[in-house]
Amino acid sequence: MISALGRLMPAIRPHMRHLAIAAAVLVVASALAGAFSAKGVTSDFANFYDAGHKALAGETDTLFDPHALIEGKPPLANMGFFSAPITAYLYAPLSTLEPRLAMRLFKIENALAILLALVLLYAHARRFAAPGDEDLYAALFLGMALVYMPLWTVFRVGGQTTPTVFLLLVAALTATTSRRMVLAAALLFAAAAIKPFLAPCLALLALTQGWRFFLALAGISAAVGLASVAIMGWPVHAEFLGQLAGIANEAKLPQLNSSLTAGLEAVLLALAGGDAGADKPLLVAIVATSIRLGIVGFVVWLYISAQRSLAVPAARRHFTFVLAVLFALLFTPVVWAHYLSFVFILIAYLAASWRSLPLGANALVGLIVLLAMGQHVRIVQWIDSHIGFESLAMQVAVAEFKSLPLLLTLILLWKFRDAIFATYRAPAWRTLSDEGLPS
């Protein structure tokens, strides 16, 4: 297939720039369409709006109670808040506005964050494309971004913080690769405060990126943590920690969870006669926990292998960062579809390096992108309205399908690890390290 593409390249190449421009226009159009969509005011958006309202009203003691009154009035919706308590103040300005206007502004921010993240990611990854492939990579990158539904599904639920976190992660990737460790620590702390499931990402990087990163992250965490407790009190933080501890035993409806273990858990729940959405039986929890412990071992082994295989320090930092982000996704028991946006960081790099990868690796990357199209909430809603999720067979089938992108990502890292390592030996990495990225 790749050799055939190589033979076709002379005929295709003159049109690549036009395809890239067309794809760029469609990406911007998708962002604009999402930004001005009227859907989702009582969906995910509501939890941020209500959290900001509670912060503004000085009622943060009920921050994690989705049913609590706010200034004596019902909340916009009964949506749970799952971020660090101090982040509620980020949404206080939204709560001063009428909900639908606030949602539109929130979605506009989401659109801008996605577009800026894609610009930064493309500018970072394009240098690893083969000479002469610049237009091809632009068309490929933008085409994949256009159809990669986890990037766009946030607009259907009223907006989300995921686009902002995606931007923070892309900026942190470039900072880490160029050894700007204090900046990287600040960006990653902000990302994890908004999306606490990224804690394993921070832990891996804190243990592997040297003392400067570790001390910067520790200092920022301590300063913000102490300020948060001083402003909001300890009880709300204790409730936040308890909420995080309880997530591991919470079984999300199969159509909502895209975690690595979602498919297997659905099978085990069906065999155990459990209901989707109920607390997990002990056996299911033990199996899922064992798999996550296995993921920890796999990530440690892969990190050590990379350190032995990669000679350029910037390449080691880059791979470790990408691995840390994927570690958080593979480890967490609950992965909303939009969290898969973060896998696009790996996809963008491998797409730039496609000439150096075997056919199987390129096929897996393409399959991940295609299967991610099925993660869009609109597809889930269509299935729910036309077929339903009442039967165990449908619950298992949907859960298996939802878990495929992360399962294929895990297979990609395991089966093609040596080929991925080989991409980091490309001349671009040596040049990058020598020209302004201190080693």
Side-chain angles (χ1 to χ4, degrees), residues 167-178 180 183-185 187-188 321:
L167 174 58
L168 290 170
L169 290 177
V170 172
L173 170 67
T174 62
T176 301
T177 306
S178 58
R180 291 171 289 172
L183 176 59
L187 292 168
L188 284 164
F321 183 95

Side-chain angles (χ1 to χ4, degrees), residues 214-279:
F214 179 86
L215 292 175
L217 182 61
I220 294 168
S221 301
V224 176
L226 289 173
S228 183
V229 172
I231 293 170
M232 306 175 77
W234 171 248
V236 70
H237 292 81
E239 189 175 356
F240 167 66
L241 296 175
Q243 177 178 265
L244 293 183
I247 287 177
N249 195 46
E250 184 180 356
K252 291 294 178 186
L253 294 173
Q255 65 267 30
L256 300 179
N257 192 3
S258 300
S259 74
L260 176 67
T261 58
L264 178 60
E265 288 177 16
V267 172
L268 294 176
L269 277 171
L271 293 175
D275 295 324
D279 285 345

Side-chain angles (χ1 to χ4, degrees), residues 52 122 126 130 151 158 209 234 245 254 259 265 285 290 292 336 345:
Y122 169 72
R126 66 177 294 187
L151 289 170
Q209 296 306 296
W234 171 248
S259 74
E265 288 177 16
S290 299
R292 280 189 278 279
W336 305 104
I345 296 173

Side-chain angles (χ1 to χ4, degrees), residues 21-298:
I21 292 172
V25 170
L26 290 174
V27 165
V28 173
S30 295
L32 290 175
F36 292 99
S37 165
K39 302 263 183 203
V41 71
T42 58
S43 189
D44 287 18
F45 165 76
N47 91 83
F48 305 114
Y49 186 87
D50 287 337
H53 193 176
K54 290 175 181 178
L56 193 66
E59 298 178 5
T60 54
D61 55 319
T62 61
L63 185 60
F64 298 105
D65 180 358
H67 301 281
L69 299 178
I70 308 173
E71 294 188 300
K73 298 179 181 179
L76 182 59
N78 304 125
M79 302 291 293
F81 185 66
F82 293 95
S83 300
I86 195 68
T87 63
Y89 290 99
L90 295 174
Y91 317 113
L94 288 177
S95 69
T96 64
L97 304 172
E98 186 273 330
R100 291 195 177 276
L101 174 59
M103 183 188 70
R104 289 188 183 280
L105 294 176
F106 190 47
K107 286 186 175 184
I108 289 172
E109 185 277 336
N110 280 192
L112 293 174
I114 291 171
L115 293 176
L116 181 55
L118 290 176
V119 168
L120 292 178
L121 187 57
Y122 169 72
H124 173 77
R126 66 177 294 187
R127 68 192 72 188
F128 307 115
D133 272 0
E134 291 82 3
D135 291 343
L136 170 63
Y137 180 60
L140 184 61
F141 176 91
L142 291 165
M144 291 191 306
L146 182 63
V147 301
Y148 195 70
M149 286 302 107
L151 289 170
W152 309 110
T153 192
V154 294
F155 297 112
R156 192 74 179 180
V157 294
Q160 250 287 346
T161 53
T162 303
T164 303
V165 174
F166 181 47
L167 174 58
L168 290 170
L169 290 177
V170 172
L173 170 67
T174 62
T176 301
T177 306
S178 58
R179 211 165 65 177
R180 291 171 289 172
M181 291 308 187
V182 175
L183 176 59
L187 292 168
L188 284 164
F189 175 82
I194 297 171
K195 297 293 186 192
F197 89 90
L198 287 169
C201 170
L202 262 67
L204 178 59
L205 293 173
L207 293 173
T208 60
Q209 296 306 296
W211 283 105
R212 191 176 183 188
F213 180 89
F214 179 86
L215 292 175
L217 182 61
I220 294 168
S221 301
V224 176
L226 289 173
S228 183
V229 172
I231 293 170
M232 306 175 77
W234 171 248
V236 70
H237 292 81
E239 189 175 356
F240 167 66
L241 296 175
Q243 177 178 265
L244 293 183
I247 287 177
N249 195 46
E250 184 180 356
K252 291 294 178 186
L253 294 173
Q255 65 267 30
L256 300 179
N257 192 3
S258 300
S259 74
L260 176 67
T261 58
L264 178 60
E265 288 177 16
V267 172
L268 294 176
L269 277 171
L271 293 175
D275 295 324
D279 285 345
K280 299 175 186 176
L282 180 59
L283 176 61
V284 179
I286 290 174
V287 172
T289 301
S290 299
I291 292 173
R292 280 189 278 279
L293 291 175
I295 291 297
V296 174
F298 171 75

